[in-house]
Structure formats: C-alpha cells, structure tokens
Amino acid sequence: MTTISEINGVCNLRANNSGRLVRSLPICGNGHIIMTMKKRTIPAGQFKAECLRLIDQVADTREPLIVTKRGRPVVEVVPIRIRESNSLRGSVTVHGDIVGPILDSWDVDR
C-alpha cells in the first residue's frame, strides 16, 4: 500500500510498496496535489535564430516566454492583451444641422 509522508512540512515524498520514500508530485496533508506553472525559458542566441516562430507561438498559445542571457532572465515575451472595442454606434444623438456654419453671416468690412 502506498502512503503519503510529510517530512519537515514538505509534502512531496511518499512511501512506495517497499516502504522506501520516493519523490512524487507535491501533495499536501489534505490529499490535494500542488501544481505550479514554470514559465518557458530560452537562451538569447536560440531566440535570435527562431524569433519569428517563437513570437507566433507565444501569440497562439498565450503563454509567456522568458529570454535568458548566461542563464539569467533578461526579457519576457508576453502576448498582447486583446481588448474588446466598445462601439459608439447608437450612442451619439444629432440635434440640428451639424454641417452648416455656427455663426450668422460675417461682416468682413468692419
């Protein structure tokens, strides 16, 4: 029988059938699996060589991409937020003539 063990507050060890502790998915005392998302990273040289394909991939998957130099994160490529445009159609009311002159005739000779 497999049992879940908690050692030093870390819930990612379990006992296998022989009673030996092995690493597994992080599981808390209540039985829930803890999952975290690790962002994709890519070295700058590889990003330079595959830039256009990677940009398309980020746009399609909506997953950010971190570009690294010498193992250190330098830039994060994220998809642009697409906002729904609110149309103004039907929200404007026209009162009177909007093309004609505002003032009466001008007296240029004054």
Side-chain angles (χ1 to χ4, degrees):
M1 180 175 175
T2 304
T3 58
I4 299 171
S5 300
E6 185 173 339
I7 299 175
N8 295 333
V10 178
C11 305
N12 63 349
L13 299 174
R14 67 175 173 80
N16 63 8
N17 291 338
S18 64
R20 189 169 166 228
L21 292 178
V22 293
R23 195 175 262 317
S24 68
L25 289 173
I27 301 175
C28 278
N30 60 5
H32 292 121
I33 296 174
I34 300 172
M35 296 184 73
T36 57
M37 297 279 297
K38 185 176 180 183
K39 291 186 180 180
R40 275 185 352 172
T41 60
I42 188 167
Q46 185 179 351
F47 178 78
K48 182 179 177 183
E50 304 175 21
C51 179
L52 297 177
R53 183 185 64 79
L54 291 169
I55 289 174
D56 289 339
Q57 192 176 33
V58 167
D60 293 341
T61 63
R62 312 290 300 159
E63 291 181 23
L65 175 68
I66 297 175
V67 181
T68 62
K69 272 188 164 179
R70 296 182 192 98
R72 291 184 12 203
V74 179
V75 175
E76 184 175 18
V77 180
V78 294
I80 192 165
R81 292 184 194 137
I82 300 172
R83 296 184 186 135
E84 292 182 23
S85 63
N86 296 332
S87 175
L88 294 177
R89 185 176 301 249
S91 65
V92 177
T93 307
V94 177
H95 296 283
D97 183 12
I98 61 171
V99 181
I102 297 173
L103 303 173
D104 293 333
S105 62
W106 290 17
D107 188 9
V108 181
D109 296 330
R110 269 204 235 181

